[in-house]
Amino acid sequence: MHTIAIIGGGFCGSIAAVNLMRLSEGPLRVALINCGFPVGRGVAYGTRRPEHLLNVAARNMSALADHPNHFLDWLRTRTEYADIPEAVLRETFIPRRVYGDYLRGLLQWHARPIRDGHAASIEFYDKEAVNITLRDGGATVVFADGDSIAADKVLLATGNQRPAAMPGDGAPFTHPAYIDVPWHDWESRLPDRHQDVVLLGTGLTTVDAFLTLSALDWRGTIFAVSRNGLLPHAHFRGIEYPEFPPEDPSALGLNELAVLLEEHCGRLRGLGANPAIAVDKLRPHTQRIWRNWSLADKREFCRRYAARWNVLRHRIAQDVHQRVTTALTDGRLQIVKGTIAALASAGSRVRVTVAGTSGANVVLEAGLVINGTGPQTSFTAGSSLLYRNLLTDGRVVVDELDMGVQVDEDFGVRERDGRRSPVLFAIGPPIKGTLWETTAVPELRQQTYRVAQTMLEECGLGEPAPRLGTTADQELLEYCI
Ligand SMILES: Cc1cc2nc3c(=O)[nH]c(=O)nc-3n(C[C@H](O)[C@H](O)[C@H](O)COP(=O)(O)OP(=O)(O)OC[C@H]3O[C@@H](n4cnc5c(N)ncnc54)[C@H](O)[C@@H]3O)c2cc1C
């Protein structure tokens, strides 16, 4: 029997396992290896807090690329969503913990040992994978406890890296009142609720932390620090705008596209519409645009436009945005614009020094500091022992921007000698350098489907998969927006 090992049991790993079960035409064993966050739910959907909402509307959160309404249909099985009118439910931002239940349930269902008369099963390993060595026609996955398993194919679905360490006194900062990984439960470490809190970053994780503090009736001031001081924008109802994008936006270089975008953003503003519509309309083309750009274009985009792009692209539900805006108005939430220069212990509290944009330092002292700066962006600076070993052995190579590992059109990992690995595949955040847009469910579900097809095909257990960028492949992305 063939064995496919998947390292990482968040959205990508779990739904890839589900698709392998759905699509396999013969006996198959899937080994789902996961540690750190709950299997099925991963980092994003492991939260237990009811105030943490999805930032994508329910209509676009199906986990299955070939069943666009799968999540909506599942929601109907729950009493609280059963009677909501279809048009309303489609646009609702569901709590992420409910979405985690959906993913976990889907995984559980497909983990059944017998399917359609042939043996296909998922085995769960609550272990850290630390290395992969190649053997004849396959690989051995080595665990931190010294155990190992043999596999014919291995899928890397390891998710985002932890946030980068913060500068302390010559070493990464640690302190009981400092939360370095914001996705783990931190409510048990809260000080007296009249104390101030500093949130490092002003993105989606900071919004999550603000919502939790608000739900706990926080009385101290909440400071949020970032270089640009930009909070996420709210979702909005779009308008018909067929003038954009042009027929093949992936043929445009960065400068041409930037000029065109500016022009259409201006036109949209003139129509009284939100200019982010132009960003949304590029979404199904983003991966191809990125792949066609030169390295110089990619670098320039990261330097000049990425921060603005992210703010427009990763938006939040309107009522969440309203709560943030109200807190800003009444001073409960304050934005500090500048670079985080250093963190230092101040007894039971933490002192944060921010190099302000005017040149002067701002010093904040808080009973709790949470690192919400987002995943570490330099792949090689990440701390994963697995990747350090794979990089050392040349089993994977970083992309030219050091965002992740290099893959080819069908997610096959490139080795140091430039050849496609016969065994290793990668999807999700670790392939950001190849695709740029590889963060949210609408793109990830497509990857989990296609990589499952490819691995099964190579094991002689399924039909060929459409190659990246082909029409058949593009169809899977069609209902993204
Ligand atoms: C807080 C948050 C909220 C988000 N909200 C949304 C949303 O509303 N809508 C949307 O479309 N997208 C959202 N996203 C983006 C996206 O859906 C997630 O990033 C996605 O779930 C990524 O899934 P993943 O499986 O790649 O990674 P993860 O969920 O990070 O899972 C990876 C798993 O692999 C484990 N792992 C890593 N290395 C090893 C190893 N060596 N051995 C064993 N296990 C290992 C990790 O510990 C983890 O459990 C959100 C992201 C975050 C972080």
Side-chain angles (χ1 to χ4, degrees):
M1 192 188 308
H2 286 280
T3 298
I4 296 180
I6 301 177
I7 304 179
F11 178 92
C12 286
S14 299
I15 301 304
V18 165
N19 284 325
L20 286 169
M21 290 292 105
R22 294 172 67 221
L23 299 171
S24 174
E25 292 174 359
L28 175 68
R29 184 171 76 115
V30 173
L32 188 55
I33 302 154
N34 181 68
C35 68
F37 291 89
V39 70
R41 301 170 192 271
V43 172
Y45 313 111
T47 177
R48 295 179 180 204
R49 300 293 315 180
E51 66 275 7
H52 291 167
L53 303 184
L54 293 176
N55 50 41
V56 174
R59 72 178 143 79
N60 210 359
M61 285 298 288
S62 170
L64 303 180
D66 52 339
H67 283 276
N69 286 332
H70 193 265
F71 181 51
L72 289 170
D73 292 344
W74 179 85
L75 281 174
R76 292 293 186 199
T77 67
R78 291 179 62 118
T79 318
E80 69 267 46
Y81 301 110
D83 299 325
I84 297 179
E86 183 72 6
V88 176
L89 187 63
R90 290 176 67 79
E91 300 306 319
T92 303
F93 295 88
I94 305 291
R96 292 213 303 272
R97 64 181 190 175
V98 172
Y99 193 73
D101 293 345
Y102 163 64
L103 296 179
R104 185 64 209 247
L106 201 52
L107 181 62
Q108 205 66 35
W109 171 255
H110 286 279
R112 292 168 304 149
I114 301 291
R115 193 178 62 79
D116 297 342
H118 65 251
S121 62
I122 303 177
E123 289 170 11
F124 294 89
Y125 292 82
D126 182 8
K127 290 168 184 272
E128 181 188 1
V130 293
N131 205 356
I132 301 165
T133 55
L134 295 197
R135 51 175 185 84
D136 240 9
T140 302
V141 181
V142 182
F143 300 126
D145 63 9
D147 274 358
S148 63
I149 54 163
D152 300 282
K153 304 282 173 200
V154 182
L155 175 62
L156 300 167
T158 48
N160 283 306
Q161 306 213 80
R162 294 157 61 104
M166 282 292 138
D169 192 12
F173 183 72
T174 56
H175 190 280
Y178 171 62
I179 311 292
D180 57 349
V181 180
W183 306 306
H184 288 300
D185 177 22
W186 44 260
E187 296 97 86
S188 56
R189 290 172 60 183
L190 280 169
D192 176 89
R193 68 193 173 117
H194 291 90
Q195 293 219 34
D196 292 346
V197 172
V198 173
L199 307 175
L200 307 177
T202 52
L204 297 173
T205 301
T206 282
V207 172
D208 271 358
F210 159 78
L211 291 173
T212 296
L213 291 168
S214 301
L216 298 171
D217 194 21
W218 202 254
R219 294 303 167 95
T221 303
I222 303 166
F223 295 95
V225 184
S226 81
R227 246 182 238 125
N228 57 28
L230 297 173
L231 284 159
H233 288 207
H235 282 288
F236 54 85
R237 194 168 282 280
I239 58 163
E240 286 294 317
Y241 189 68
E243 292 87 340
F244 188 82
E247 196 171 334
D248 184 10
S250 64
L252 302 177
L254 173 65
N255 289 336
E256 291 163 293
L257 191 61
V259 169
L260 203 62
L261 257 178
E262 289 292 349
E263 181 196 322
H264 284 278
C265 287
R267 280 210 230 167
L268 283 161
R269 273 191 215 96
L271 292 170
N274 194 317
I277 287 170
V279 170
D280 289 354
K281 297 200 81 165
L282 274 184
R283 176 116 177 246
H285 309 277
T286 315
Q287 294 181 352
R288 270 189 300 163
I289 293 173
W290 180 260
R291 287 168 70 85
N292 284 351
W293 276 354
S294 65
L295 179 57
D297 274 356
K298 290 177 185 170
R299 286 217 169 99
E300 184 64 0
F301 174 81
C302 292
R303 195 181 67 78
R304 273 181 74 179
Y305 301 107
R308 255 170 71 202
W309 173 272
N310 286 335
V311 167
L312 290 175
R313 162 68 190 82
H314 301 285
R315 299 198 293 267
I316 50 178
Q318 277 179 354
D319 64 326
V320 170
H321 190 262
Q322 186 55 50
R323 272 185 269 168
V324 172
T325 310
T326 307
L328 284 170
T329 311
D330 64 23
R332 276 184 298 127
L333 175 64
Q334 295 184 22
I335 302 295
V336 180
K337 212 168 147 179
T339 306
I340 301 151
L343 269 61
S345 170
S348 63
R349 293 156 61 82
V350 173
R351 188 175 306 125
V352 180
T353 304
V354 182
T357 41
S358 62
N361 280 350
V362 179
V363 178
L364 304 165
E365 214 172 277
L368 192 75
V369 174
I370 301 175
N371 186 351
T373 55
Q376 160 80 264
T377 50
S378 161
F379 190 75
T380 44
S383 55
S384 159
L385 183 53
L386 173 65
Y387 283 113
R388 267 188 274 147
N389 284 330
L390 293 178
L391 285 166
T392 305
D393 294 348
R395 301 259 169 267
V396 301
V397 272
V398 287
D399 58 72
E400 48 209 355
L401 292 162
D402 191 19
M403 289 180 176
V405 298
Q406 284 186 34
V407 291
D408 68 7
E409 283 72 18
D410 58 6
F411 307 106
V413 164
R414 263 190 211 294
E415 299 187 333
R416 190 190 288 144
D417 61 10
R419 279 186 303 184
R420 174 187 181 278
S421 167
V423 172
L424 278 185
F425 294 81
I427 56 170
I431 60 168
K432 182 168 181 174
T434 308
L435 294 180
W436 177 258
E437 184 67 70
T438 177
T439 313
V441 164
E443 280 77 26
L444 299 183
R445 65 176 165 225
Q446 185 223 23
Q447 294 180 15
T448 65
Y449 189 77
R450 222 177 38 214
V451 81
Q453 284 180 308
T454 303
M455 291 192 296
L456 289 172
E457 180 199 351
E458 291 189 11
C459 290
L461 296 172
E463 297 291 318
R467 293 297 183 246
L468 200 70
T470 59
T471 313
D473 166 51
Q474 198 63 20
E475 276 168 9
L476 286 174
L477 274 175
E478 280 298 293
Y479 69 100
C480 261
I481 55 169

